[in-house]
Amino acid sequence: MKNNSLKREKLNYFSSILFPILVTQLGLYAMNFFDTTMSGKVHPNDLAGVAIGSSLWVPVYTGLSGILLSITPIVAQLVGAKKTKDVPYMVVQGIYVSIVISIIVTILGVIVLDPILQNMGLDKPVSHIAKWYLISLSLGILPLFIYAVLRCFIDALGYTRVTMFVTLCSLPINFVFNYLFIFGKLGFPKLGGIGAGIASAITYWCITAIAVIIVMRQSPFKKYGIFKTFYSVSLKAWMEILVIGVPIGLSIFFETSIFAAVTLLMSQYNTITIASHQAAINFASFLYMIPLSISMALTIVVGHEVGAKRIRDAKQYSYLGISMAIFLSILSAALIYFFRPEVASIYTEDSAVLKLTQDFLIYAIFFQLSDAIAAPIQGVLRGYKDVNVTFIMALISYWVIGLPVGYLLATYTSLDAFGYWIGLISGLAAGAVGLSARLFFIQRRNEASLSNS
């Protein structure tokens, strides 16, 4: 990675890393978006079933795949320190870890899925759709986690356009199979929301196959020989991956699981409320891909700069990314406010769901600024390999502050379901404040360490 000394050069280079990541994240999220919107066109029960299934799966997937995100700073710092011979070894160890994770989550799913759904008090059609959506989706868990490792390897080298290409290839695959299995076209069975799970599993196998071919045959990835050498399992390497990855995974899990917990708590409301809440959350999460992409780009560039001992450049990239996220969050908030009816109509044609979704979207506006601060800072801290304090902050912000506040407001005030959204907003805001303080401390410590060396 070249040493960018001018701010304009930094902006151009950072943008070249960011844009493909953003397209990739939007593309990956579009698969969930397709699942939700296309299922909603069949029946509100299908929308609610996929919503419940997604609420159970997304925090599990994002938390566990977050463990594998440790590959990005590990590889980025190895490349920055010119230790490229160690890269294939760590990537293969990451693949081993991903296989173990996929086996564990599948076994646990078999054990706990029925008890969880039975205790939620859902309507039988909604519970049935949620269960078989998840079972169908589980057929693609193994390749999905392997792809997460390969993507981290590719992105860490700065070739984010490659993962963008893979994702863009996946979208038509997912859309076509959704169309076939959800609506029962061209002789395929009409499975509604369950068909969305089958389509997603097929898509996961396809994108993993594409990524493997690219890593094996395309430059500069093939020079690393990721699959040419058989490496035995190394518990030491696994520990390095897990020491960095587990706190990352936990912090992501604490954030995403609070949204899932709120959706599950909302099962006490009627199907219209569940569907409206999920539609609004889905769109807010779609916009969250912007600060999340900035976060991932910051992990790459900061990791390279820290690995090369360019502490001042790492700091400049940090504030560049945070400023960009804040600016874009203001635009996102304006989009939600002025186009609420149009956004709601994407998800449903049911008049009751349409009206209530617009009400929920008002609260989604306040997510934007907190996300614009918290997500990029998390990416910066991962670039520094500072991850332990972050997950503790996430636990406190979301589960000690956010969820209790939401429960109290929803249960003991007239806000009802909207009280949970205010709780989410308070948790996100608390997280943004805590992470800002941590970043300031880490940067001061690194500057002091550099001046003393």
Side-chain angles (χ1 to χ4, degrees):
M1 179 177 289
K2 58 185 179 182
N3 182 6
N4 297 302
S5 58
L6 300 177
K7 290 184 178 180
R8 183 176 296 275
E9 290 178 347
K10 281 185 168 60
L11 176 61
N12 291 338
Y13 182 74
F14 181 72
S15 298
S16 72
I17 296 290
L18 169 63
F19 178 74
I21 292 178
L22 177 59
V23 173
T24 299
Q25 287 303 120
L26 291 174
L28 288 173
Y29 197 82
M31 285 194 281
N32 180 262
F33 179 81
F34 289 155
D35 289 351
T36 304
T37 56
M38 295 176 77
S39 297
K41 300 297 183 182
V42 178
H43 193 275
N45 284 339
D46 290 273
L47 176 58
V50 172
I52 295 296
S54 296
S55 296
L56 291 171
W57 167 241
V58 168
V60 172
Y61 165 66
T62 53
L64 293 176
S65 64
I67 295 174
L68 304 174
L69 286 177
S70 60
I71 297 297
T72 300
I74 289 172
V75 172
Q77 290 202 14
L78 286 174
V79 173
K82 309 299 183 183
K83 298 179 180 179
T84 55
K85 291 183 179 180
D86 295 330
V87 170
Y89 176 75
M90 291 305 299
V91 172
V92 171
Q93 296 300 323
I95 292 174
Y96 293 160
V97 172
S98 73
I99 294 172
V100 172
I101 289 174
S102 66
I103 293 172
I104 292 174
V105 73
T106 302
I107 294 173
L108 290 177
V110 171
I111 297 172
V112 305
L113 180 57
D114 278 333
I116 290 175
L117 291 174
Q118 289 170 4
N119 290 326
M120 288 177 62
L122 299 168
D123 295 339
K124 285 187 177 181
V126 175
S127 179
H128 175 78
I129 292 168
K131 175 181 177 178
W132 286 98
Y133 168 78
L134 289 171
I135 291 175
S136 302
L137 187 71
S138 69
L139 299 175
I141 288 177
L142 176 63
L144 181 61
F145 282 117
I146 293 175
Y147 173 70
V149 175
L150 296 178
R151 181 192 170 186
C152 288
F153 161 63
I154 294 169
D155 286 350
L157 298 181
Y159 290 87
T160 53
R161 290 181 181 274
V162 175
T163 49
M164 178 183 72
F165 166 77
V166 175
T167 302
L168 292 177
C169 288
S170 73
L171 292 181
I173 297 172
N174 181 250
F175 182 85
V176 168
F177 281 106
N178 264 349
Y179 180 75
L180 295 176
F181 284 107
I182 291 176
F183 302 110
K185 302 297 183 179
L186 300 180
F188 285 81
K190 182 179 180 180
L191 300 176
I194 298 171
I198 296 175
S200 293
I202 294 172
T203 304
Y204 296 152
W205 281 100
C206 291
I207 62 176
T208 303
I210 295 171
V212 168
I213 292 171
I214 290 173
V215 167
M216 291 179 64
R217 298 184 179 181
Q218 298 296 316
S219 296
F221 314 111
K222 66 178 182 180
K223 75 177 182 181
Y224 289 92
I226 299 298
F227 298 108
K228 286 185 178 180
T229 302
F230 174 78
Y231 296 101
S232 60
V233 170
S234 169
L235 295 181
K236 181 180 178 181
W238 284 30
M239 282 301 298
E240 182 178 354
I241 292 170
L242 295 175
V243 164
I244 299 173
V246 169
I248 293 175
L250 286 174
S251 63
I252 294 174
F253 175 78
F254 289 143
E255 181 174 355
T256 56
S257 61
I258 192 176
F259 290 91
V262 167
T263 298
L264 298 180
L265 287 169
M266 280 192 169
S267 62
Q268 63 182 300
Y269 300 103
N270 58 35
T271 299
I272 298 299
T273 302
I274 296 173
S276 301
H277 160 79
Q278 182 60 24
I281 279 288
N282 187 274
F283 188 74
S285 300
F286 186 77
L287 292 178
Y288 175 67
M289 294 302 103
I290 297 174
L292 178 61
S293 299
I294 293 174
S295 171
M296 298 175 74
L298 284 170
T299 298
I300 296 169
V301 295
V302 171
H304 276 279
E305 300 302 331
V306 172
K309 308 298 182 184
R310 295 191 290 265
I311 303 303
R312 180 179 297 178
D313 291 294
K315 184 176 181 179
Q316 290 177 350
Y317 273 121
S318 302
Y319 291 112
L320 171 65
I322 294 169
S323 300
M324 184 181 295
I326 292 173
F327 172 73
L328 292 175
S329 74
I330 295 172
L331 297 181
S332 298
L335 172 67
I336 294 175
Y337 182 78
F338 290 109
F339 296 97
R340 293 193 310 280
E342 290 79 5
V343 170
S345 66
I346 295 173
Y347 293 89
T348 183
E349 296 174 356
D350 185 275
S351 59
V353 176
L354 194 67
K355 182 179 183 303
L356 191 55
T357 299
Q358 294 180 55
D359 294 335
F360 278 120
L361 284 171
I362 289 291
Y363 292 89
I365 292 172
F366 297 97
F367 285 4
Q368 303 307 310
L369 184 59
S370 295
D371 282 336
I373 298 172
I377 292 178
Q378 286 180 329
V380 173
L381 292 174
R382 289 168 194 159
Y384 283 106
K385 289 186 179 179
D386 181 77
V387 292
N388 292 313
V389 174
T390 302
F391 94 82
I392 295 174
M393 288 182 178
L395 173 62
I396 295 172
S397 300
Y398 305 129
W399 286 91
V400 178
I401 298 175
L403 189 60
V405 169
Y407 178 79
L408 291 173
L409 291 175
T411 306
Y412 299 106
T413 73
S414 60
L415 289 167
D416 289 327
F418 297 115
Y420 286 114
W421 280 67
I422 295 176
L424 291 174
I425 293 167
S426 66
L428 291 170
V433 173
L435 288 167
S436 298
R438 181 62 180 175
L439 177 61
F440 179 77
F441 170 78
I442 290 297
Q443 290 182 334
R444 289 289 297 272
R445 187 178 69 181
N446 276 269
E447 289 172 346
S449 176
L450 183 64
S451 62
N452 293 331
S453 61

